[in-house]
Amino acid sequence: MEIVCPAGTPAALRAAVKAGAHTVYCGFNDETNARNFPGLNFDRSEMRDGVAFAHSHGAKVLVAVNTFPRAGDQPVWHRAVDDAENAGADAVILADPGLLDYAARSHPGLRLHLSVQAAAANADIINYYARTFGVKRVVLPRVLSVPEIAAINAETEAETEVFVFGGLCVMAEGRCSLSSYATGLSPNMNGVCSPASHVEYHDDNGALDAKLGGYTIHRAAKDEPAPYPTLCKGCFSAGGQTGHLFEDPASLNAEQLIPQLHKAGVTALKIEGRQRSKSYVAQVVRNFRAAVDALEAGQPLPQGMLARLSEGQAMTTGAYKKTWR
């Protein structure tokens, strides 16, 4: 199976390719991609250089233009698609139907992938995108079990790509409202979830309050580490209980499900983490490449290689086994 790896910077792209990534996904340094954070992403010349580097090492590059265009500003997103093809990208990852239509009409030779932001979770909608826009691959939302993925693959000829490691969104992809409510900036349109510009820390009699958009998301006692205030993973009090009401601060790790995903017909395994360091990316890529190579060789998968890289040292298989609350 193809390993699809994140690259938030040119250095991370080179690290991923050298570590054995089959494919790298990245985005331009603007709001056309869903990881629009300061210091991340690629300008146009960096994208051209990154694609050339990947191709020289036998790897592919996918460019994410996966936010939803604002009314009246569609040309910004159109230019991103144009520039991705001009840079030599092997495919673009899109979510918005209007942008898919533009890409299919204006760039008939450009391979189109459907972003997880589109939340396409059944064969009927996947076949619609494939038939209408020529979409070749769909990134499935992180709400499906392995049998459900197998059922989808039995009813569509489009390739499927699934997340296997990294941050686990609590919201159905493409429909995140919590961060938008707190900050006024949408992850799905501006590409910023819990943006740093809206984060504040305040000392409250020795406790440290982490705030997002003026809302207290977490309170850490003295000498307790203060987490970044991502709203869906905040600690709240409600109904007489205090805890992580939306989702625990845990990372997805489906490494040991790779054989089942292969049997279910999955084409590609996707790693989340464009905001992570090049060292993190290289370690995760090496581990997943070793697992995929072991599967292909008929050998047992390596065990427990990624525990120390998970968020809060805690891992979950998420919806794959329907164990989350």
Side-chain angles (χ1 to χ4, degrees):
M1 285 184 288
E2 180 181 338
I3 303 174
V4 182
C5 308
T9 63
L13 182 148
R14 293 190 293 271
V17 170
K18 291 178 179 178
H22 300 117
T23 301
V24 176
Y25 68 98
C26 48
F28 293 118
N29 55 356
D30 56 36
E31 57 191 330
T32 63
N33 89 86
R35 287 293 183 270
N36 179 27
F37 295 107
L40 289 185
N41 303 310
F42 293 64
D43 64 28
R44 269 50 179 178
S45 64
E46 289 171 338
M47 186 67 76
R48 288 192 297 271
D49 292 344
V51 172
F53 178 86
H55 286 175
S56 70
H57 288 74
K60 295 181 289 186
V61 174
L62 315 178
V63 177
V65 188
N66 59 340
T67 50
F68 295 86
R70 274 191 317 277
D73 286 334
Q74 297 96 315
V76 175
W77 279 258
H78 293 174
R79 283 195 298 273
V81 174
D82 299 342
D83 292 343
E85 183 173 56
N86 291 336
D90 296 278
V92 288
I93 308 170
L94 309 175
D96 181 74
L99 196 56
L100 282 160
D101 179 65
Y102 171 81
R105 288 185 294 103
S106 302
H107 301 280
L110 181 60
R111 182 178 167 96
L112 305 182
H113 291 188
L114 187 66
S115 170
V116 69
Q117 289 279 88
N122 62 73
D124 287 345
I125 188 61
I126 291 171
N127 288 333
Y128 169 81
Y129 280 111
R131 182 175 63 249
T132 306
F133 305 114
V135 166
K136 302 298 183 186
R137 179 183 295 179
V138 175
V139 184
L140 296 177
R142 286 163 280 197
V143 295
L144 298 169
S145 66
V146 175
E148 288 168 338
I149 293 170
I152 288 172
N153 282 323
E155 297 180 28
T156 182
E157 294 186 1
E159 298 173 357
T160 53
E161 179 175 313
V162 301
F163 280 92
V164 290
F165 193 81
L168 182 64
C169 272
V170 63
M171 304 293 288
E173 281 84 358
R175 290 163 174 78
C176 183
S177 299
L178 291 170
S179 180
S180 301
Y181 177 81
T183 68
L185 294 175
S186 167
N188 310 122
M189 296 184 72
N190 306 106
V192 284
C193 171
S194 304
S197 57
H198 289 66
V199 171
E200 295 179 347
Y201 293 94
H202 295 284
D203 183 274
D204 184 6
N205 295 321
L208 189 63
D209 288 353
K211 294 178 176 286
L212 179 68
Y215 296 91
T216 301
I217 307 304
H218 193 96
R219 176 168 292 165
K222 187 177 181 181
D223 299 327
E224 180 186 354
Y228 187 87
T230 302
L231 202 152
C232 63
K233 295 179 180 178
C235 189
F236 302 100
S237 294
Q241 299 184 19
T242 298
H244 299 283
L245 301 181
F246 295 105
E247 186 54 67
D248 295 324
S251 286
L252 174 66
N253 184 4
E255 183 180 22
Q256 295 304 313
L257 296 178
I258 290 176
Q260 293 97 304
L261 293 169
H262 181 264
K263 187 176 180 181
V266 169
T267 296
L269 306 174
K270 187 165 193 169
I271 299 166
E272 187 275 339
R274 280 192 280 158
Q275 72 277 29
R276 303 284 188 170
S277 70
K278 64 179 183 179
S279 175
Y280 171 95
V281 169
Q283 291 180 69
V284 175
V285 170
R286 279 194 293 269
N287 289 336
F288 272 95
R289 182 60 188 263
V292 168
D293 289 348
L295 177 67
E296 187 173 347
Q299 300 173 351
L301 267 62
Q303 297 282 332
M305 298 181 294
L306 295 166
R308 59 191 175 85
L309 297 177
S310 63
E311 183 176 358
Q313 303 288 296
M315 295 181 292
T316 176
T317 54
Y320 287 123
K321 292 189 175 180
K322 299 293 188 189
T323 56
W324 58 2
R325 64 178 181 271

